[in-house]
Amino acid sequence: NSERTNCENCPDNCASCHNTNGTCIKCKNGYELNTNDNKCNQCKVGTVSNNGIKCISCGNMKYQDQVGQITCKSCDSFCSSCIKETGKCDKCQPGYGYNKTTNGQTCQLCKDGYYYEGKSGASDFHGNGRWVCGCGNQDKSYAGQHTRAESA
């Protein structure tokens, strides 16, 4: 004969709760404790929690594209910055240009005859908020189409 009790489980996604009233004290990893109602809320994309108390934003060059996670992922090393919720590049490292013909926002090595200094200048900005490899004012190179302009 096993002994039976009237004890109940802590609420869903709660790692530990008060032993007399069941209010959550700490959530499972990937969740944060809402102090207004003592319920656990899943961390949103771009944030993580490895302590069950608070979700924190992914740091520089890190991202998380799924909810309820405990660690951030590293952005592509060709990016100089990336979107915290998707990991897609929003700026490329020097020598790499944005290529919108790829699936997603990626940076690729500039082809011969083109360069990218890694600055956010108007001369290397081409539509959709992305930078591509250019060749000064002679540039007619748009993302994915690296062709040098004809000289006049």
Side-chain angles (χ1 to χ4, degrees):
N1 291 332
S2 63
E3 189 176 325
R4 295 186 182 204
T5 66
N6 291 337
C7 296
E8 296 182 32
N9 291 330
C10 291
D12 286 345
N13 304 312
C14 183
S16 63
C17 60
H18 194 276
N19 63 356
T20 60
N21 62 15
T23 56
C24 194
I25 299 168
K26 182 179 177 188
C27 300
K28 293 179 181 177
N29 290 342
Y31 292 80
E32 71 179 345
L33 184 63
N34 182 333
T35 55
N36 294 329
D37 62 7
N38 286 24
K39 291 186 179 177
C40 297
N41 298 326
Q42 198 171 43
C43 293
K44 297 176 182 178
V45 294
T47 68
V48 295
S49 174
N50 62 3
N51 63 10
I53 303 294
K54 183 162 180 66
C55 297
I56 58 169
S57 181
C58 292
N60 188 36
M61 291 300 292
K62 300 282 186 181
Y63 75 99
Q64 184 47 258
D65 56 354
Q66 298 176 344
V67 297
Q69 300 301 307
I70 62 172
T71 58
C72 294
K73 302 173 186 177
S74 294
C75 299
D76 190 318
S77 62
F78 302 141
C79 303
S80 61
S81 65
C82 72
I83 301 167
K84 294 186 185 311
E85 296 84 7
T86 64
K88 294 179 180 179
C89 296
D90 61 359
K91 190 169 180 199
C92 299
Q93 291 283 1
Y96 291 81
Y98 174 71
N99 185 343
K100 76 174 186 177
T101 63
T102 60
N103 185 15
Q105 298 159 336
T106 60
C107 296
Q108 293 182 333
L109 185 64
C110 291
K111 291 186 178 185
D112 287 343
Y114 295 93
Y115 67 94
Y116 177 62
E117 295 178 354
K119 297 178 185 175
S120 300
S123 66
D124 50 357
F125 182 81
H126 293 289
N128 299 325
R130 303 290 173 243
W131 289 264
V132 295
C133 300
C135 197
N137 291 333
Q138 297 295 317
D139 178 33
K140 285 199 177 172
S141 153
Y142 291 91
Q145 300 172 353
H146 299 285
T147 57
R148 183 173 250 155
E150 297 293 326
S151 312

